[in-house]
Amino acid sequence: MHKAGLLGHCARAWKSVRMASSGMTRRDPLTNKVALVTASTDRIGFAVARRLAQDGAHVVVSSRKQQNVDQAVATLQGEGLIVTGTECHVGKAEDWEWLVATNLDINMKAPALMTKAVVPEMEKRGGGSVVIVSSVAAFSPSPGFSPYNLSKTALLVLTKTLAIELAPRNIRVNCLAPGLIKTRFSRQLWMDKEKEESMKEALRIRR
């Protein structure tokens, strides 16, 4: 009986996990949350912004160009989502206290300073969550992309450091490392079928 009861409990637990992952038991889990998504008017950033808004968050999208911000906001608001936007150009001194001129500055320094800027507001709310986007290049560097590989690897250490430092303030810090995603940025890798197949093989999941 004990074994049967344990199996039944495990089955119910697994069912609840599957239902949660499919959204069946978590309708609008981010209601009353604010999500600031940088570089989010296109590609991966836009997809992330849309999903966060679909889960109930008030999303703030950003881009270097106001026209891109306006277009993204109009698209998402047209889907009935709560979205606002702001132009945010890291190359303009009036927008930031620093100028970025290298890949390392953009990919590593900017997330560090952005996190520093939003932490006080998160503390006022009682906590928050920071998600840093690295890349598979941090684990499997691509030849010819040295600055990019270096910057994305640095984000792993930044994530681990911030996670420790901000945990006492009830702020979680996690990192995503996407594989090859078909965007304009990565077109050199996926438009060449031989390179695409090689990447699929390296990723094991074959897609």
Side-chain angles (χ1 to χ4, degrees), residues 95-161:
D95 283 347
W96 297 100
E97 295 182 353
W98 70 92
L99 296 175
V100 291
T102 67
N103 209 311
L104 189 61
D105 281 334
I106 296 172
N107 287 342
M108 197 281 285
K109 184 177 179 181
L113 295 179
M114 172 64 79
T115 301
K116 180 180 179 181
V118 300
V119 161
E121 296 302 319
M122 287 185 173
E123 285 190 285
K124 291 178 183 178
R125 289 170 166 267
S129 175
V130 176
V131 181
I132 294 173
V133 181
S134 178
S135 167
V136 67
F139 301 95
S140 181
S142 300
F145 293 87
S146 296
Y148 181 82
N149 298 335
L150 177 61
S151 66
K152 291 301 185 178
T153 302
L155 288 177
L156 301 182
V157 179
L158 176 65
T159 299
K160 293 178 180 179
T161 302

